[in-house]
Amino acid sequence: MNWQTQLAQAVTDPAELIQLLELNTDLIAPAQQAAKLFPLRVPRGYIARMRKGDINDPLLRQVLPLGLEMQQTPGYSDDPLGEQAVNPVPGLLHKYQGRVLLTVVGACGINCRYCFRRHFPYEENNPGTQGWNQALAYIAGDASIHEVILSGGDPLVATDQHLDKLVQKLAAIPHIKTLRVHSRMPIVMPERVTDQMIDWLTGYRLRPVLVVHSSHPHELDHSVLTALLRLKQKGITLLNQSVLLRGVNDNLYTLVGLSEALFEGGVLPYYLHLHDKVRGTAHFDVDEATARALIEGMRLRLPGYLVPKLVREVAGEGAKVPA
Ligand SMILES: *Cc1c(COP(=O)(O)O)cnc(C)c1O
Ligand code: SF4
């Protein structure tokens, strides 16, 4: 089955997810409530990696809408990163020196409950009928920009044809050297790694970097590792960023296992993000002292190149801030 069909057949009804995993049907009503705030979306191949009957499954916890999301917590907002202020033209964020981020599509292949973009006004921020002309003109007009990051949503929800056209135009801007893609698709739907994807990533003069988003070693099954190794063999630099999430990966065993599994797929850990204060996600928070102790534990158990940088994003800062 190709990836587009799989996207179309993703589970979006909380009742179906709960029944597929043989969970208590009491979970259905609150899940349906919470899904009204941010819809459920999870590919069937990802559900297949979860344990049946286990409400604490670390993959399930990332996608199951909970009643807890409706709680108001002081200090939590819709736009904690101040992204709406660094959005000079539609579809483009220019927050850090030397690199810009394009929000290629608003949608994702999976909806993660902790997502810092769950309240981002994508509808008002798509490039519109002008296509990418405004964003491309902005990039072409600023020679300090050397790297373009395709993000979203998830940029790999767009078709290869669309992405190829965009990358071709970026490659025509002489000061752009690096093409970076941030995506969770190779993790949640490894079938997305197509020959055409490899073609536009490696077929122009830009240095390709792919940052995948995995937060738990159970996500990295054989099919995912095979897809990642294929990208590695094509000369694509592979990095991973994860989010430190209570009840998902806030223990040393899981974090060490994640780094080791990533390396099996040719991927180096890049960032471990402290969770942002986004409304409806307070139950995922891990306090900073615990986070630092976990990183210290990783440092003592792993080679230096398998220890991610613990960072948080702070609105108005010139880079991600080390914790
Ligand atoms: C995270 C981020 C980047 C990239 O930062 P790196 O530290 O280079 O990974 C660029 N732009 C925006 C808006 C970001 O949030
Ligand atoms: S894939 Fe990334 S952007 Fe999309 S919902 Fe998950 S965390 Fe958010």
Side-chain angles (χ1 to χ4, degrees):
M1 201 193 295
N2 74 21
W3 67 271
Q4 272 120 331
T5 311
Q6 291 194 41
L7 263 190
Q9 293 183 358
V11 172
T12 54
D13 175 5
E16 186 182 0
L17 177 64
I18 286 160
Q19 274 146 18
L20 281 171
L21 290 169
E22 298 167 11
L23 295 166
N24 191 323
T25 50
D26 289 352
L27 292 162
I28 295 175
Q32 282 170 338
Q33 276 298 107
K36 283 184 197 150
L37 300 178
F38 182 54
L40 169 74
R41 166 170 294 282
V42 54
R44 287 170 199 273
Y46 189 80
I47 297 172
R49 296 174 228 162
M50 298 174 187
R51 291 182 297 246
K52 283 191 177 157
D54 182 3
I55 180 68
N56 293 319
D57 180 272
L59 276 52
L60 176 68
R61 286 187 67 94
Q62 294 182 63
V63 298
L64 179 68
L66 295 176
L68 284 169
E69 294 174 31
M70 265 91 73
Q71 286 176 7
Q72 292 286 347
T73 315
Y76 286 70
S77 82
D78 285 3
D79 183 24
L81 308 182
E83 291 205 322
Q84 289 165 47
V86 288
N87 191 199
V89 300
L92 184 145
L93 294 176
H94 192 183
K95 199 159 150 183
Y96 302 145
Q97 230 176 68
R99 49 228 196 268
V100 294
L101 187 149
L102 297 182
T103 52
V104 178
V105 282
C108 291
I110 187 167
N111 283 350
C112 313
R113 305 317 296 175
Y114 48 85
C115 184
F116 70 98
R117 293 212 167 106
R118 57 185 279 158
H119 309 287
F120 195 79
Y122 288 116
E123 306 312 319
E124 300 143 44
N125 202 41
N126 63 47
T129 47
Q130 290 231 42
W132 289 101
N133 292 343
Q134 245 186 309
L136 289 163
Y138 180 93
I139 296 166
D142 184 346
S144 75
I145 302 168
H146 299 301
E147 176 170 13
V148 174
I149 302 170
L150 306 186
S151 180
D154 195 312
L156 294 182
V157 167
T159 63
D160 287 316
Q161 201 184 6
H162 179 78
L163 290 161
D164 189 290
K165 277 191 210 140
L166 178 58
V167 172
Q168 187 177 11
K169 288 178 183 154
L170 291 170
I173 302 172
H175 51 264
I176 301 305
K177 309 289 183 211
T178 303
L179 169 68
R180 188 191 328 177
V181 177
H182 272 247
S183 175
R184 195 151 152 67
M185 285 291 275
I187 303 297
V188 302
M189 199 182 283
E191 296 79 2
R192 178 63 187 89
V193 176
T194 57
D195 292 338
Q196 295 93 309
M197 172 187 155
I198 292 168
D199 285 348
W200 59 257
L201 259 175
T202 61
Y204 297 98
R205 61 167 189 85
L206 304 172
R207 287 188 294 254
V209 180
L210 175 65
V211 182
V212 294
H213 297 187
S214 175
S215 291
H216 198 284
H218 290 181
E219 293 180 338
L220 303 169
D221 68 2
H222 181 73
S223 63
V224 175
L225 294 177
T226 305
L228 292 170
L229 283 171
R230 195 167 144 223
L231 294 165
K232 178 79 182 172
Q233 279 156 6
K234 298 289 178 181
I236 298 161
T237 298
L238 296 180
L239 302 169
N240 180 67
Q241 72 173 24
S242 28
V243 187
L244 186 57
L245 300 165
R246 197 200 308 167
V248 175
N249 59 10
D250 58 337
N251 67 83
L252 199 50
Y253 176 80
T254 300
L255 291 173
V256 167
L258 176 60
S259 275
E260 287 172 340
L262 286 165
F263 194 53
E264 251 182 81
V267 183
L268 290 177
Y270 179 38
Y271 284 145
L272 176 62
H273 282 268
L274 284 162
H275 184 248
D276 305 305
K277 302 224 174 290
V278 183
R279 184 164 56 87
T281 67
H283 55 286
F284 282 116
D285 272 8
V286 177
D287 66 81
E288 205 166 316
T290 305
R292 274 199 297 264
L294 286 168
I295 284 286
E296 181 59 15
M298 291 179 87
R299 212 171 58 77
L300 296 173
R301 278 167 189 75
L302 288 166
Y305 57 85
L306 291 186
V307 183
K309 295 184 190 76
L310 181 68
V311 293
R312 71 160 74 248
E313 259 189 87
V314 180
E317 286 285 335
K320 311 243 190 289
V321 180

